[in-house]
Amino acid sequence: MSDNSETDYEVGQDNVQIMGLDVHNPVFAVSGLTIIAFVFFSLVFREQAAEFFGWLRPALTSKFDWVFMLACNIFVVFSILLIVTPYGSIRLGGDDAKPDYSYAGWFSMLFAAGMGIGLVFWGVAEPISHYGASLGGVAVGEDGVRTDWAPLGAGLEDPEASRKLAMAATIFHWGAHPWAIYAVVALALAFFSFNRGLPLTMRSVFYPIFGEATWGPLGHIIDVLAVFATIFGLATSLGLGATQALAGLNYLFDVPVTDGMKVLLIGLITAFALISVVAGLDKGVKRLSEANMILAAALLLLVLIVGPTVAILTGFFDSLFEYVVALPTLSNWVGREDTNFMQGWTTFYWAWWISWSPFVGMFIARISKGRTVREFVICVILIPTVVGALWMSVFGGAALDQVMSGNGQELSDAALELKMFTMFEAFPMTGLLSFIGIILVVVFFVTSSDSGSLVIDTITAGGKTDAPTAQRVFWCILEGAIAIVLLLGGGLGALQAAAVATGFPFALVLMLMCVSIFIGLENERRRR
């Protein structure tokens, strides 16, 4: 184990320049060719692909749910320790480093990258799903195993208890745990890049553990895994976004919901992402992220104003309290009887967040220079958790108010991707709300795609952040292609299976990353 992070390795020293490209050998070739082969075989053997994805997700979530649950609990505890220990005073980039972005720009980018499409897709759908399952109560099969999808002990046919449980479970899935995953990866990348001058790639994080072996085959495996996790995690979100955007367009303008339209929509949005990718981080991603936040805030305020305002606001504080109370039980995996909920919802979510973590983590790392570790962890975990809870309370609270008042049968019965648009029917300005919702999904879609392309390109360019634009274009197109293939080869189930499959090996990588961060911060503290 290395006692410091000093190395003679230079950024890009293993790169090859060919046909105007500047790529890491062999990370770019292995990643690119493997993913292209996956796309090809999934298109040629669609039936077999659908069957495989249908088997894969439940197989992983049932056998390795404890790995995901344990790992994410470790990330939360580790992050809290960083806040309360002396390590929190260490500044990313050195004692004299200044932040590159204002708080407003910083929050906009990290939030848009971290949760965008998911919040819009699940903001209404998830609370309604948990509420319906909780209200239905516990159902047990002949083998004594629960067959319902309710969280914990369900709501025992009590509407108010079911509402509280539904909101607590929803905030749990969008709160401290996923943001702790992002914080671990982002902090590791930022610290070893800005404080130690190592390349901005996943392998650099493990230099304190593996020493010079980090730059060899072991490092290649880590970076290739990071590319796989990122691109399949992104494809899951892009597929969700396309499904919801098309459902909204069908709802507003009678655009047909067909596979051809899904392919066309993903193609068009990928084209917009390409324009942003070519514009670069400051001109493209930053401006789009800020536009996103303005649109999201506008939609949030409109729903708050035209919806049951008092019920939503009181429900927000009530839901946050219920989340904190239920957190220890929801985080525990031992002796749980609600296996459908834990494996089908929580384990999938944790795998999805972990598969997103190289992408979101590297993106947050690039924009976080100059922040102290304490400031970084608080801002990356606590503030987004509260904002996410507010979003879910506004959209979920408004939807639950409709259902609990007896006027929401159509909302309960609507498909997942249509639930938000169905909820808007009960409000004034239905068309405006729905149109803003579609635009928001599309812009979140674009930001996720272009910022993901920047991140994958950085990894496959050996840590270079100024690699040729053509490489980012290649990855952007490939992201769109994978989203199309997964949607055609099994729909939402295939998307979720891909996220779980790539999240599992990376969960182990992230736990090792915590050890590496501790070693790095301890060495930094001794140097001061």
Side-chain angles (χ1 to χ4, degrees), residues 315-361:
F316 166 62
F317 295 103
D318 189 32
S319 298
L320 264 182
F321 174 76
E322 295 296 333
Y323 160 61
V324 173
V325 170
L327 187 58
T329 316
L330 288 168
S331 303
N332 174 47
W333 68 93
V334 180
R336 290 276 288 269
E337 295 181 352
D338 56 337
T339 50
N340 280 345
F341 169 80
M342 186 179 74
Q343 295 172 0
W345 282 97
T346 305
T347 306
F348 160 65
Y349 267 131
W350 289 180
W352 187 18
W353 300 138
I354 288 169
S355 70
W356 261 55
S357 64
F359 148 52
V360 180

Side-chain angles (χ1 to χ4, degrees), residues 376-460:
F376 175 90
V377 174
I378 288 173
C379 290
V380 172
I381 295 180
L382 298 184
I383 292 175
T385 294
V386 173
V387 174
L390 176 62
W391 180 278
M392 290 299 182
S393 296
V394 170
F395 284 80
L400 288 174
D401 183 76
Q402 286 183 27
V403 172
M404 293 174 72
S405 66
N407 300 318
Q409 189 58 49
E410 188 180 352
L411 175 57
S412 297
D413 294 341
L416 289 175
E417 61 269 18
L418 269 174
K419 285 191 185 294
M420 181 177 74
F421 303 110
T422 307
M423 181 187 78
F424 289 159
E425 287 182 1
F427 299 149
M429 302 184 293
T430 302
L432 176 63
L433 289 170
S434 298
F435 185 70
I436 294 174
I438 293 170
I439 297 298
L440 191 59
V441 170
V442 170
V443 180
F444 269 136
F445 195 139
V446 173
T447 13
S448 296
S449 183
D450 63 8
S451 44
S453 303
L454 287 168
V455 166
I456 295 173
D457 181 44
T458 301
I459 297 173
T460 56

Side-chain angles (χ1 to χ4, degrees), residues 16 61 174 194 259 333 367 474:
V16 292
T61 54
W174 296 85
F194 299 142
D259 284 347
W333 68 93
I367 61 176
F474 168 77

Side-chain angles (χ1 to χ4, degrees), residues 237-247 262 265-266 269 441 445 487:
S237 295
L238 300 187
L240 286 174
T243 302
Q244 189 177 32
L246 188 56
K262 288 177 184 176
L265 186 61
I266 292 175
I269 297 178
V441 170
F445 195 139
L487 271 178

Side-chain angles (χ1 to χ4, degrees), residues 80-132:
I80 292 171
L81 289 175
L82 292 179
I83 295 173
V84 300
T85 58
Y87 300 126
S89 63
I90 295 172
R91 189 172 295 277
L92 299 174
D95 292 338
D96 300 325
K98 304 292 183 194
D100 294 328
Y101 301 97
S102 66
Y103 275 117
W106 189 41
F107 285 142
S108 296
M109 286 192 281
L110 75 86
F111 202 77
M115 300 237 160
I117 290 173
L119 280 175
V120 183
F121 188 94
W122 293 109
V124 173
E126 184 171 351
I128 290 291
S129 298
H130 294 329
Y131 175 78

Side-chain angles (χ1 to χ4, degrees), residues 130-138 146 148-166:
H130 294 329
Y131 175 78
S134 297
L135 193 62
V138 172
R146 276 177 60 174
D148 64 274
W149 284 76
L152 303 181
L156 303 176
E157 299 184 6
D158 180 341
E160 184 56 24
S162 298
R163 183 195 67 78
K164 289 180 177 180
L165 189 56

